[in-house]
Amino acid sequence: MGDNSEIFVGKCLIWRVGDPEIFPYIKKRRRDQKTRLNLEETWGRQSGKKSCILPTVMGNLLKVLCQADSSASRDYDIFVDFESVQPTDEEKEVWEKVQAVLNESQTILQDIQQYTGATEDIKQAISNPTNDAFQEKAWLAVCPLVARLKNYFEFANKLEHTVHDLLEVLCSIDKTPREHLETQQACFKQFAQILDFVLRFDDTKMINPSIQNDFSYYRRTLSRMKMANEVPISHDVKATDDNKGNENVVSNEMANRMSLFYAPATPMLKVLGEATTKFVSTHKELPVENTTDCLSTMANICRVMINTPEYVARFQNSETKLFCLRVMVGVIILYDHVHPVGAFAKSSNIDIKSCIRVLKEQEPGRVEGLLNALRYTTKTLNEETTPKAIKAMLAG
């Protein structure tokens, strides 16, 4: 068959069999027996040969398809040194700003993981509404806890600005997503650490009902005090106009804002998604694909790293592999929330089947939480655009 050979599929003229432009047409019609027969007949008329040559043509197509898949895999074949990478001179300014926020994130994470709540004091106060001693005890127990919740909320605002700074570095038009992530590994690691923090924080919040219950009780009590013109009990600081009572009591306005933050099951993920969407909308000079392709490349790089034994062998810390898995899942969830068609559609740039397969190949006890995150915190998994095979993989 010569280089200038032509094939007609339906009304579509496709040049050389080796031309990648044939893939969408052949793939779309490969299960259509009638089209295959037409193709065979057309090829027979053009070449003057018998139709037995069709298997050779299709074999060549499969060969080229496999080569294309291999090429795509090579695009993500990068080892990211999550354990010891250092910032380049180009990254250093942003890296130092982000690192300060990441250091604080560890304090925030440790604090919420140690959050025990005031469940018993609140129960006693609710059960004994006329007992002032119980009311005061519950209030004094809840106030410092609400101060901690305020601290988490304020940190979320810092995180939003930090994500913006990182995306400006990782999504600029001067490099491809691969080039960004390969040459700016320190910033890639920091974005990965933010995703890791977000998943851990939200997971802790979801399994601790005291967080929502304490804050709800505080808001109800504050509202009741306001209606009764009572002064909130202060045990540390004298009330001033600036601190709205004391450092352990937030204002009604702040409480309303905090309520919006804590209402979703995954508040930090919501902040991260909104920050990414805001970045896209405020940087109109950047194509949307710069951001979404960067995210999909992150997910695919993490998947390839986990699937490559020689890369895994280079990990010095046994937790690094789990870190890569969390980052992969975090990026999938974020991509699903910010991309117009989501992460699970056939047109998604994330190899979602391979990602799920990688998760299922791990020890079940270590990754069940990550599988549940894909099941319950993604946006489009249950949409009609999600293939049934993917839904089946994540079922149960």
Side-chain angles (χ1 to χ4, degrees), residues 120-138 217 224:
E120 290 304 316
D121 291 327
I122 291 173
K123 281 183 178 179
Q124 287 186 332
I126 293 175
S127 300
N128 300 275
T130 60
N131 189 314
D132 292 341
F134 283 135
Q135 304 307 311
E136 181 175 352
K137 184 181 178 184
Y217 176 80
R224 187 175 67 247

Side-chain angles (χ1 to χ4, degrees), residues 73-356:
S73 296
R74 285 195 298 271
D75 287 341
Y76 311 120
D77 190 5
I78 301 171
F79 178 78
V80 182
D81 189 1
F82 283 131
E83 295 176 337
S84 56
V85 65
Q86 295 299 314
T88 62
D89 291 340
E90 181 185 7
E91 298 172 279
K92 199 158 189 178
E93 183 179 351
V94 171
W95 184 89
E96 288 176 347
K97 287 172 60 179
V98 175
Q99 196 59 37
V101 176
L102 282 172
N103 291 339
E104 186 179 353
S105 75
Q106 295 309 300
T107 304
I108 294 289
L109 189 59
Q110 290 173 7
D111 193 68
I112 194 173
Q113 288 172 342
Q114 296 169 0
Y115 190 102
T116 55
T119 303
E120 290 304 316
D121 291 327
I122 291 173
K123 281 183 178 179
Q124 287 186 332
I126 293 175
S127 300
N128 300 275
T130 60
N131 189 314
D132 292 341
F134 283 135
Q135 304 307 311
E136 181 175 352
K137 184 181 178 184
W139 178 255
L140 293 176
V142 164
C143 282
L145 294 174
V146 171
R148 290 165 67 180
L149 297 180
K150 178 187 175 185
N151 193 31
Y152 308 157
F153 167 72
E154 290 175 337
F155 178 76
N157 293 330
K158 291 182 187 177
L159 197 66
E160 179 180 351
H161 296 296
T162 301
V163 169
H164 185 279
D165 291 339
L166 277 177
L167 289 176
E168 279 192 332
V169 173
L170 295 172
C171 300
S172 60
I173 59 176
D174 58 325
K175 294 182 178 74
T176 66
R178 178 195 166 102
E179 290 169 343
H180 273 299
L181 301 176
E182 188 171 21
T183 62
Q184 298 170 319
Q185 291 196 8
C187 285
F188 180 8
K189 176 184 176 180
Q190 288 184 320
F191 195 87
Q193 288 174 310
I194 288 175
L195 285 166
D196 183 58
F197 163 77
V198 165
L199 285 182
R200 287 172 175 266
F201 181 95
D202 287 347
D203 186 54
T204 303
K205 185 257 184 186
M206 280 192 291
I207 63 175
N208 191 345
S210 293
I211 292 174
Q212 200 74 21
N213 293 339
D214 292 349
F215 189 63
S216 295
Y217 176 80
Y218 171 81
R219 292 197 71 201
R220 291 196 305 271
T221 305
L222 188 66
S223 178
R224 187 175 67 247
M225 288 178 171
K226 186 177 179 180
M227 291 178 64
N229 291 321
E230 296 179 19
V231 178
I233 300 169
S234 173
H235 56 284
D236 291 312
V237 180
K238 185 178 179 180
T240 67
D241 291 336
D242 292 331
N243 60 34
K244 303 290 184 182
N246 67 63
E247 63 180 2
N248 292 327
V249 180
V250 301
S251 67
N252 193 50
E253 179 185 354
M254 173 64 77
N256 289 336
R257 291 165 57 197
M258 289 171 60
S259 180
L260 293 174
F261 171 71
Y262 285 107
T266 53
M268 285 293 178
L269 176 64
K270 187 172 186 289
V271 168
L272 188 59
E274 289 176 347
T276 306
T277 303
K278 185 177 179 181
F279 171 82
V280 172
S281 63
T282 56
H283 288 72
K284 299 188 183 301
E285 75 282 3
L286 291 176
V288 176
E289 293 78 12
N290 277 43
T291 305
T292 55
D293 287 355
C294 182
L295 295 177
S296 62
T297 303
M298 286 182 186
N300 289 320
I301 286 175
C302 287
R303 172 183 56 80
V304 171
M305 282 180 63
I306 298 163
N307 256 348
T308 307
E310 52 264 40
Y311 288 165
V312 175
R314 293 169 64 179
F315 296 158
Q316 300 297 312
N317 190 326
S318 59
E319 290 298 307
T320 303
K321 185 176 181 181
L322 185 58
F323 174 80
C324 289
L325 289 167
R326 283 198 299 268
V327 173
M328 180 185 76
V329 169
V331 175
I332 291 171
I333 296 170
L334 179 59
Y335 184 96
D336 193 52
H337 279 262
V338 302
H339 193 277
V341 298
F344 299 99
K346 289 182 179 180
S347 58
S348 169
N349 288 332
I350 297 177
D351 187 350
I352 197 71
K353 284 186 179 179
S354 295
C355 289
I356 297 171

Side-chain angles (χ1 to χ4, degrees), residues 10-50:
K11 296 182 179 180
C12 300
L13 172 63
I14 303 174
W15 299 95
R16 299 181 306 276
V17 170
D19 191 331
E21 290 183 6
I22 195 171
F23 302 157
Y25 300 100
I26 296 300
K27 187 175 181 181
K28 184 177 181 181
R29 295 166 173 82
R30 62 186 176 185
R31 292 188 177 88
D32 188 334
Q33 184 63 34
K34 183 177 179 180
T35 302
R36 288 202 298 271
L37 291 173
N38 290 339
L39 175 61
E40 184 177 359
E41 292 170 2
T42 303
W43 172 252
R45 288 195 302 270
Q46 289 185 353
S47 64
K49 296 182 181 180
K50 294 183 178 180

